[in-house]
Amino acid sequence: MEFTASARARTGTRDADGMAVASFVLGLVGLLVLNIFLGPVAIVLASLALRRGTERRGRALLGLGLGVADLLVLAVLASADDTVSWTFGG
């Protein structure tokens, strides 16, 4: 099976678009659970998507912002009870 240059370009763009959407979803979920893991993953995926020239630039930027917000939420809530893990209850 031969791939032409345009087929590779479409696949690369589609992969970058998928990374942009994944970074957005992971960043959004990371606000609630596993933010120490999902925040950095969202940041990396958003950066890769932007570097590869995604057509969903806004979604990648939102994923980047949400990834950073995940880490900020972790820092604020962890500093409230002086541990790396945090809980909402007593």
Side-chain angles (χ1 to χ4, degrees):
M1 178 161 54
E2 267 184 57
F3 288 108
T4 62
S6 63
R8 284 189 197 130
R10 281 195 312 267
T11 303
T13 302
R14 189 171 41 214
D15 289 346
D17 291 347
M19 284 186 223
V21 172
S23 71
F24 172 72
V25 170
L26 291 176
L28 196 59
V29 171
L31 287 174
L32 301 174
V33 294
L34 294 173
N35 48 6
I36 196 166
F37 174 71
L38 295 179
V41 171
I43 292 169
V44 168
L45 284 175
S47 299
L48 285 173
L50 290 169
R51 183 170 292 161
R52 292 184 182 186
T54 182
E55 293 178 3
R56 297 176 186 239
R57 184 171 168 78
R59 188 112 357 128
L61 290 172
L62 281 172
L64 185 65
L66 285 170
V68 171
D70 291 348
L71 297 178
L72 289 175
V73 165
L74 176 67
V76 167
L77 292 176
S79 68
D81 63 356
D82 296 324
T83 63
V84 174
S85 62
W86 54 269
T87 60
F88 286 112

